[in-house]
Amino acid sequence: MTDDGKKKNKVINFSEEALSIPNLLSYFRIVLIPVFIVLYMQERFAAALITLAASGLSDVLDGRIARRYNMITNLGKALDPVADKLTQCAMIFCVATRYPAMWILLGVHVVKELVMLAMGVYVLKKMETVNSAIWCGKLCTGVMYAVMMLHVIVSDIPLAISNACVVLCIGLIVLSLAVYSARYVKMLGETK
């Protein structure tokens, strides 16, 4: 095959990956982020909650569809967590406008994601592969969604309960970072 033919095949493959159903669902989640922010800031909490529920449902569906119908792509492995993290940051940011401890959670979350990004890029360069989410990341995402949805449902949640939720989320973020770090170190050790 000529170089032009190889380039054309790569473009076609990328187009197919980019327009796969799981990736379209990830784009949908990203589009829902500004919708959620506007609704929350307008104190339209029921509509904001429905938007979060739609985002969470599309997150579950994209993974199931990708696995069941063999539509797992490197683009999807990168796009899905980006959609997750942007959604999580938007949720925390909005809730932080009412509950100050959420700013700490947002800071810890951003630091963890930056560390994970740096590690992921390093592993990608060394191993030329994008890694999928594992149980601790999924648990952290699920709990984060639940905590933020609770704060949207109950717009005047007691401060003690809100702070306990922050501590729970920070604990899961730290656990997730530790498990992923150990996984990356092990993967890099196996390449030597």
Side-chain angles (χ1 to χ4, degrees):
M1 185 179 285
T2 66
D3 285 341
D4 287 340
K6 288 179 183 177
K7 287 179 185 175
K8 186 176 179 180
N9 280 343
K10 284 183 180 181
V11 170
I12 291 169
N13 287 341
F14 180 77
S15 295
E16 288 174 3
E17 279 191 18
L19 298 176
S20 72
I21 293 170
N23 291 342
L24 290 173
L25 288 168
S26 291
Y27 304 140
F28 174 68
R29 288 197 343 260
I30 292 170
V31 169
L32 288 179
I33 293 168
V35 174
F36 167 75
I37 292 170
V38 168
L39 292 170
Y40 188 89
M41 293 304 178
Q42 291 176 348
E43 297 186 0
R44 296 172 55 194
F45 298 123
L49 180 64
I50 291 168
T51 304
L52 278 185
S55 178
L57 179 61
S58 67
D59 186 19
V60 170
L61 284 176
D62 78 1
R64 288 196 175 161
I65 291 169
R67 287 185 294 277
R68 182 174 177 108
Y69 297 102
N70 198 25
M71 296 176 145
I72 297 171
T73 64
N74 280 337
L75 176 61
K77 287 180 188 177
L79 187 60
D80 180 65
V82 166
D84 285 344
K85 303 320 168 197
L86 290 175
T87 302
Q88 290 168 4
C89 284
M91 291 187 302
I92 298 167
F93 173 81
C94 287
V95 173
T97 62
R98 296 172 157 276
Y99 296 91
M102 290 291 171
W103 291 112
I104 298 167
L105 176 59
L106 182 60
V108 170
H109 181 66
V110 168
V111 167
K112 178 245 186 186
E113 292 309 323
L114 291 174
V115 170
M116 293 286 296
L117 177 64
M119 286 190 301
V121 167
Y122 184 75
V123 169
L124 178 62
K125 284 182 180 178
K126 292 289 186 184
M127 301 185 70
E128 297 181 2
T129 185
V130 179
N131 296 292
S132 299
I134 55 176
W135 68 270
C136 59
K138 292 178 182 190
L139 174 64
C140 190
T141 297
V143 171
M144 189 84 70
Y145 264 95
V147 164
M148 293 306 130
M149 289 176 89
L150 174 67
H151 281 77
V152 173
I153 294 168
V154 184
S155 58
D156 58 347
I157 191 167
L159 197 56
I161 293 173
S162 178
N163 290 343
C165 290
V166 167
V167 170
L168 171 64
C169 289
I170 288 174
L172 289 172
I173 288 170
V174 170
L175 171 67
S176 180
L177 180 59
V179 172
Y180 274 103
S181 297
R183 180 181 186 215
Y184 285 147
V185 167
K186 182 180 177 190
M187 289 169 61
L188 291 169
E190 291 171 357
T191 62
K192 292 181 180 179

